[in-house]
Amino acid sequence: MNEQQHEQLRKEHRPEAVAKRIAGEPLQNYLRDFVYGSIDGCVTTFAVVSGVIGAELPVSVVVILGFANLFADGFSMAVSNYLGTRAEEQLLRRARRTEENHIDIIPEGEVEEIREIFRQKGFEGELLERVVKVITSDRRLWVETMLQDEWGLSLVGPNARKAATVTFCAFVAVGFIPLLPFTFSLGKDISSAQLFTASSVLTGLAFFAVGALKSRFGVEHWFRSGAETLLLGGAAATVAYVVGVLLRGIG
């Protein structure tokens, strides 16, 4: 870390800066939705390409099935992500109601749960009792502490609509890459082998790029992350190609 970065880090951790950041709305990260949609879109679309080419079907079939898959599966994934995120929101609301009821019905039991939670965090004696008193004197803080430490729930999750939109857009945008050579070759005299080679190269680059981008938000080296994504995506595409070859001539 250079001196400029060090100074910026100090500024971000001054009391007023920390208070402002903590008091604000938590930032939502949709990286998981982007990576999920991108990789699945690229894998499933290239799987269609691999299967059709492996079965030696016409290039037009690649385009038709590829686009049908691209939008149908993209929409399906977006809907699934939306419903899954909504289910998490509903679980949080249900757990909140449960804790509210428990505090109303048996407050002494809920106080003991708070005491045990912080005892296990290392608090004891007078300090433990002070912490318990502070938390249980604020009903909202009391409930939210139980949700986080007893239920293991996050109080703030991603927006279901935004998560679904990111998934769909990533699926379609990256999933279109394997179809590029076939789409722009319609009406031209280019062999299936050449088109498949071009599609394979572009798909590999897409896998690697998504993996490398993912590494910017983690601790893994960009090359290793890209290579891992390329390897896993390539394995899925290889399976589809082999199935297409094995089923060649059926029908």
Side-chain angles (χ1 to χ4, degrees):
M1 180 181 293
N2 58 39
E3 184 58 33
Q4 185 178 3
Q5 292 173 321
H6 196 196
E7 179 59 28
Q8 180 61 32
L9 193 61
R10 282 199 294 266
K11 289 181 179 179
E12 292 175 356
H13 286 80
R14 288 173 181 170
E16 61 275 14
V18 171
K20 182 179 179 180
R21 186 169 63 251
I22 298 301
E25 289 291 326
L27 295 176
Q28 294 303 314
N29 190 325
Y30 295 92
L31 175 65
R32 183 189 70 87
D33 306 288
F34 170 78
V35 173
Y36 183 44
S38 297
I39 294 178
D40 198 67
C42 205
V43 167
T44 55
T45 306
F46 188 69
V48 171
V49 171
S50 302
V52 172
I53 294 300
E56 297 184 339
L57 297 175
V59 170
S60 59
V61 176
V62 174
V63 177
I64 294 170
L65 292 182
F67 274 97
N69 170 85
L70 190 63
F71 288 95
D73 279 8
F75 183 75
S76 175
M77 279 195 62
V79 169
S80 297
N81 196 3
Y82 175 82
L83 294 176
T85 305
R86 287 277 294 159
E88 292 178 357
E89 295 173 354
Q90 292 164 0
L91 173 61
L92 178 61
R93 288 199 296 269
R94 179 180 178 182
R96 186 182 294 275
R97 286 197 300 268
T98 297
E99 288 302 324
E100 292 276 3
N101 290 335
H102 287 180
I103 289 174
D104 289 335
I105 297 171
I106 184 167
E108 64 278 8
E110 293 298 303
V111 169
E112 183 56 35
E113 287 184 355
I114 290 291
R115 182 176 290 107
E116 183 58 31
I117 286 171
F118 283 90
R119 181 182 292 116
Q120 292 187 16
K121 291 179 183 290
F123 291 84
E124 56 184 23
E126 183 181 349
L127 179 58
L128 173 62
E129 295 307 316
R130 286 173 57 191
V131 169
V132 171
K133 183 177 181 180
V134 169
I135 291 177
T136 56
S137 64
D138 184 327
R139 187 181 180 89
R140 178 181 175 183
L141 177 60
W142 189 355
V143 171
E144 291 183 349
T145 300
M146 299 301 298
L147 293 175
Q148 290 177 303
D149 290 281
E150 182 183 16
W151 292 75
L153 298 175
S154 174
L155 299 179
V156 181
N159 180 281
R161 292 181 181 176
K162 289 182 179 179
T165 300
V166 170
T167 298
F168 179 77
C169 291
F171 189 102
V172 172
V174 182
F176 176 62
I177 292 175
L179 296 175
L180 277 170
F182 299 92
T183 302
F184 291 105
S185 71
L186 292 176
K188 299 178 182 179
D189 187 20
I190 305 176
S191 70
S192 296
Q194 290 176 310
L195 293 174
F196 182 68
T197 299
S199 179
S200 299
V201 172
L202 289 174
T203 301
L205 291 174
F207 283 143
F208 188 87
V210 170
L213 177 64
K214 176 170 65 72
S215 72
R216 293 192 59 184
F217 301 90
V219 297
E220 196 172 23
H221 189 273
W222 65 270
F223 185 84
R224 181 174 181 178
S225 179
E228 178 185 48
T229 305
L230 172 60
L231 178 63
L232 295 176
T238 300
V239 170
Y241 180 78
V242 171
V243 171
V245 171
L246 294 176
L247 297 179
R248 182 185 300 167
I250 293 181

